[in-house]
Amino acid sequence: MEHYLFLIPLFPLLAFAINILFGRAFIREQAAWIAAPAVFISWLLSLAVLREVSTTGEPLFQHLFTWIPAGPFVVEANLYVDQLTAVMLMVVTTVSFLVHVYSVGYMRGDGGFYRFFAYLPLFVFSMLMLVLADNFLLLFVFWEGVGLCSYLLIGFWFRRRSAIMAARKAFVVNRIGDVGFGLAIMWIFTAFGTLNFQDVFAAAPSATVGTLTGISLLLVLGACGKSAQFPLHVWLPDAMEGPTPVSALIHAATMVTAGIYLVARAHPIVELAPTAMVVIAVIGGFTAFMAATIGMVQNDIKRVIAYSTLSQLGYMALALGVGAWTAAIFHLMTHAFFKALLFLGSGSVIHGMHEEQDIRVMGGLRKYMPVTFWTFLIASFANAGVIPFSGFWSKDEIILSTWVAEIQPLGKILTVVAIVTAFFTALYMFRVVFLVFTGKERFDPNAVRPHESPPSMTVPLVLLAIPSLLIGFVGFPPESGIFHRFLAPVFNVVHHEVVQSTQLTIAALSTVAAVSGVAIAYLAYGSRVIDTAALARRHSAIYSFLYDKWRWDEFYGRVFVQPFTNLARWLWKVVDEGIIDGTVNGVAIGIGAISQRLRHVQTGLVTNYALAIAFGMVLMLGIYLGLFSNFFR
């Protein structure tokens, strides 16, 4: 199978090329039937790779070509599949294929249908190459490719100003993180003389702690940009301006997990830098808590789920920071399925409500959209971490790993933060469930007639609901389940000696937090026993603070955007126009003025020219006699 690894990303690339070149003129509405089968073939090949890796236990390797031969700087274009890569391949191709199928119904009738089904497989190609890369530079190239696809898909409806602004914001914020990643690559080559993963990881123990810490922090900066961690988290909620399938594929299940994958892939470096580990854990815990508090008060259904994505990515970063590498990838996998289901479910709601996204004007949709309701409910339970749904097993393992982590007492504090966040997660997810699907109808039935989505949209929902419910069992029991044994060759798994009472206590606390969140959501938005409007008025300052997203956009605007805008304007007006253009234009004006004076000398009269020649000869003779008069004495 290793000789055919290149076929996995090749088919999506061919689909992109065909649709972008011939889609507008010839293929048009048939573009989906080129893109979706191509991704399905990649899924079949990824499944074959997973089977071979799990059977043999040995990584697969394929050399493509020598990319950069420049003296000691040699970079090969190779494909590499170990157990971690195999998991990522299955996650990417599975979710991508179902999103392609879903998009057939969701995007039908859109003027850019062919363009959408060109950008989507291009993203799949970039993401597959990112996880298949065997060195940092090749990974970085397709890291940027994923960023390009994100920009194109967020701004897909480019006639909407909000979409263009969101795409630009995502592009700029991600570039900040990418600078860190780029500097890390330079430092890695300087320190180790190679960019190949295996060679770098083998040499890492011999490097100084300062070098490893610096490289790790720069890698974390890159991960913060792509995986939307604080302080580079502000782009992700705005990215909901793109079509809903884009949100499901790029901004929930695949692209935003690239940062988590990067840190997990570089774990032999990061785990030797304790300071970097603490930074990752704190950033992850803070991001999870902050995003959960914001999600509780948002009214756009897609934005609520977007902040849920931020929060769950925070859990993954927290797991990385405490050294629970397998738990982080486990949650990455479970989250990919239930979060893709939530986004596609919200898209089904938006489609059925004729593009309405405000949950305050919905209600009672359960009877109109039964398939969407039941699948959305399963995903909500999984996201809330309610046993036995998939999110419980992965989230509980992260919380337990944080409790027993070596970074104490910080680990205990972060455990409390994670449990409180689990409560908030259940609260905001079931706020959406109760406001959208239950209670009285809050829309005008004469203007809006809700309806269930077509099978091309509901079948992917049902297929995603299955892993959202069951896939968590591959991680049971914690630290020794099938999933953990599969990833054991990649990570240096440390089995913590945790007494059973501690395990049960942590599981009980996380379960109580989740169930309590569901119960309070029912009292507030289902039975209306709790008056949420009165609470909002009573605590208006807190409510406004959370509704305004902790005012990070305003803070960044005042501290960074406005000063740099003023600086750019000053450089434009004073330096560029005043000094640079002024100097160039001044020279031109001066030469022009001199030329205007000198042109009067050209009279066209021979007598004037003879007089000028005679005057010049007299002047030269005078100068000559003046300079050499002493010499002739």
Side-chain angles (χ1 to χ4, degrees), residues 450-513:
H451 57 83
E452 185 61 276
S453 298
S456 62
M457 296 172 65
T458 54
V459 170
L461 298 182
V462 174
L463 293 177
L464 283 169
I466 296 171
S468 297
L469 174 61
L470 301 175
I471 204 170
F473 288 102
V474 301
F476 181 81
E479 296 194 347
S480 57
I482 298 173
F483 189 79
H484 300 76
R485 294 197 300 271
F486 179 71
L487 286 180
V490 179
F491 301 116
N492 298 320
V493 179
V494 178
H495 293 282
H496 298 99
E497 296 296 331
V498 183
V499 295
Q500 188 175 11
S501 60
T502 301
Q503 294 180 350
L504 294 175
T505 300
I506 294 296
L509 287 174
S510 62
T511 300
V512 168

Side-chain angles (χ1 to χ4, degrees), residues 472-558:
F473 288 102
V474 301
F476 181 81
E479 296 194 347
S480 57
I482 298 173
F483 189 79
H484 300 76
R485 294 197 300 271
F486 179 71
L487 286 180
V490 179
F491 301 116
N492 298 320
V493 179
V494 178
H495 293 282
H496 298 99
E497 296 296 331
V498 183
V499 295
Q500 188 175 11
S501 60
T502 301
Q503 294 180 350
L504 294 175
T505 300
I506 294 296
L509 287 174
S510 62
T511 300
V512 168
V515 173
S516 299
V518 175
I520 292 179
Y522 172 75
L523 295 175
Y525 306 103
S527 64
R528 303 282 180 170
V529 172
I530 299 175
D531 188 347
T532 55
L535 280 175
R537 289 192 299 269
R538 189 177 308 133
H539 304 286
S540 58
I542 297 176
Y543 178 84
S544 298
F545 179 70
L546 297 181
Y547 185 78
D548 293 336
K549 302 165 288 188
W550 285 39
R551 302 195 177 99
W552 288 115
D553 285 328
E554 292 79 359
F555 174 77
Y556 287 167
R558 287 194 302 269

Side-chain angles (χ1 to χ4, degrees), residues 601-621:
V601 177
Q602 306 294 327
T603 62
L605 299 176
V606 176
T607 54
N608 289 350
Y609 297 156
L611 179 62
I613 292 171
F615 177 76
M617 291 179 63
V618 170
L619 182 62
M620 291 176 62
L621 182 61

Side-chain angles (χ1 to χ4, degrees), residues 57 114 146-147 197 208 229 333 356 361 397 414 434 439 446-447 467 621:
Y114 83 91
V146 165
F197 288 147
T208 64
Q229 295 294 289
M333 180 182 68
E356 179 60 65
V361 295
E397 186 172 341
L414 291 174
F434 292 125
N446 296 319
L621 182 61

